[in-house]
Amino acid sequence: KIKVTYNDTSTETINMTDSNVSVTGFDNTTTGTKTLTVTYKKKTATFTVSVVAKSISKIEVTTKPTKTSYIQNYENLNLTGGKIKVTYNDTTTETINMTDSNVTVTGFDNTTTGTKTLTVSYKDKTTTFTVTIVAKSVTKIEVSTNPTKTTYTQNYENLDLTGGKIKITYND
């Protein structure tokens, strides 16, 4: 808005968008302070604006990586499927894969079990997400080779497991 003072000292407030008002000097092709000139009925006034470079306001994890559970001391971090949303100061956004070379993820430690908070960094902004480290454990067993002896006389022979083998499958 502009304040117009007339020769009789009365004043009027007018919107800068009024058809009788013109504003010149705006240039957003370079950064810095810009002086704009407001003209109304051959009278002028000035004000300044700042033109700033496009920059990142924040980042956030929109999709965690496909793999979020890891076996202790066995598996390495896999960021496949992970995505971050980058929001800029002009409110535009962009989605970037966590596997992008400009994205770094720190904090992965599979030496102890539990929930781990990882830090995602892109340019000068950071955000976090969690993964779980689980202990190595048996998921199933099966007989892979029967013992050599499989026939016994009732009330006479003891169990003999010689030659018998089992296959143990772990979660890794």
Side-chain angles (χ1 to χ4, degrees), residues 138-144 166-170:
V138 175
T139 57
K140 83 176 182 182
I141 66 167
E142 57 189 300
V143 175
S144 60
I166 60 171
K167 177 181 176 183
I168 303 170
T169 304
Y170 294 90

Side-chain angles (χ1 to χ4, degrees), residues 1-140:
K1 295 185 185 245
I2 60 173
K3 180 179 177 182
V4 177
T5 304
Y6 296 96
N7 59 0
D8 66 357
T9 68
S10 64
T11 62
E12 178 182 11
T13 301
I14 300 173
N15 287 327
M16 285 188 192
T17 56
D18 185 283
S19 62
N20 295 313
V21 176
S22 68
V23 179
T24 58
F26 182 69
D27 174 14
N28 68 354
T29 61
T30 59
T31 60
T33 302
K34 311 294 178 170
T35 300
L36 281 62
T37 302
V38 179
T39 304
Y40 179 76
K41 295 188 177 182
K42 298 184 182 182
K43 298 293 181 186
T44 62
T46 61
F47 68 98
T48 60
V49 296
S50 294
V51 177
V52 296
K54 184 175 180 175
S55 62
I56 298 171
S57 300
K58 69 176 180 174
I59 66 171
E60 58 189 300
V61 174
T62 53
T63 306
K64 282 186 174 185
T66 305
K67 183 161 188 56
T68 58
S69 181
Y70 296 87
I71 298 169
Q72 181 181 12
N73 295 318
Y74 180 72
E75 295 176 295
N76 294 320
L77 181 62
N78 182 345
L79 299 172
T80 303
K83 296 185 184 303
I84 61 170
K85 179 173 137 182
V86 179
T87 302
Y88 294 93
N89 59 347
D90 64 358
T91 71
T92 59
T93 62
E94 159 180 35
T95 299
I96 298 176
N97 291 324
M98 281 189 197
T99 55
D100 185 285
S101 62
N102 293 312
V103 176
T104 58
V105 178
T106 57
F108 183 76
D109 174 13
N110 68 356
T111 61
T112 58
T113 61
T115 301
K116 308 294 179 168
T117 299
L118 307 186
T119 300
V120 181
S121 300
Y122 180 75
K123 309 284 179 163
D124 63 342
K125 300 297 181 191
T126 61
T127 190
T128 61
F129 73 98
T130 59
V131 295
T132 304
I133 309 299
V134 297
K136 181 177 178 177
S137 62
V138 175
T139 57
K140 83 176 182 182

